[in-house]
Structures are given as structure tokens and as C-alpha cells.
Amino acid sequence: VEFCNDESFIPEEGNCPTFLAFPCFHLYTNAQVFPNAIDSAENPLTETQVAMLKGKDSIIGKAVLSAAEKTGGCVEIYLQPMVDHEYASEYGGPYLTTQFPSYGVPERMDDDAIADEFDTFGNFDEKFQPIWVINEKKGHKPDGLGE
């Protein structure tokens, strides 16, 4: 609860929200995680949606829901689907979508075509400033957590 009231814990930089980010370790479909028409990446996950997560994703999801309960809703969990391609890093990162695409990126699509085809709402690197929390044993280090 103390961290929820401390603006310096995870500060916002400009208009980009800063947050703790975890990669999904499993693949999901819209039917699993966004089963209802109103479910999307724009809303925090509910207990029912978190119950559909698998393995490590489930552990993280349940921990966040527990923290939300203890902090009076200060902490929330979102699942952000993205469309990525090999040159995305040159154009602001993966494209953000409200739900998972039902098929992959066709070959030879330019960025504008990808944005239109998948109804994206921006690029990851332009919209967010995540602090990635990843397992150091797998070669990744947390990005400045607690600095």
C-alpha cells in the first residue's frame, strides 16, 4: 500500500505510463482470455480471465490480483496483445492491438498496411515505458527496478 502512494516508485514520464512488465510465457487465444465482446487489452483482467492463464503467467496473475485486493485496487493486471515483425524495432516497436489477431502477418506488408489490417492503436515503444521484470538466470536483468 505504501508504494501506491509513492509517486517516485514507478513514475510516469510524459504521457507514457510506466509499469512493471512481464512477458507471457504461454500463447493464448481470444476465446481463452478475451471471451466476451467487452473484454480487451483496454480493461484490467478479471479473476475469471486470470484463471485462464497458464503456468508462470498464472502465478504472476494471481499475485497481482492478491496485491490488488490488499491495496484496495491500486494494482491491476493487463494483457497486451501485439503484432510484431522483423523490422518493428525500426518503426517504434511491435503494434498494439486490443485483442489477439486471428492470423499472422502476411509477407510483404508495410507498416501502414499492418496497422490497417490488424486495427492497431500505436506502437509499444511509443505508448509505454515498461520496467521489464524477467528471470536473470535466463540472461535477462530487470530494468532499473527500485532505482
Side-chain angles (χ1 to χ4, degrees), residues 17-30:
T18 303
F19 53 89
L20 298 180
F22 297 85
C24 282
F25 293 93
H26 297 274
L27 298 176
Y28 299 98
T29 65
N30 288 322

Side-chain angles (χ1 to χ4, degrees), residues 94-143:
Y95 294 92
L96 305 171
T97 62
T98 56
Q99 294 192 340
F100 295 108
S102 57
Y103 54 92
V105 178
E107 290 186 34
R108 299 190 175 121
M109 288 186 89
D110 66 13
D111 285 334
D112 290 335
I114 291 170
D116 291 341
E117 179 75 18
F118 294 101
D119 194 24
T120 65
F121 62 93
N123 296 80
F124 187 82
D125 296 345
E126 296 169 355
K127 294 273 188 181
F128 301 123
Q129 295 294 319
I131 298 171
W132 287 98
V133 182
I134 305 175
N135 187 341
E136 284 188 61
K137 291 179 183 176
K138 293 192 177 189
H140 305 286
K141 296 182 180 178
D143 293 343

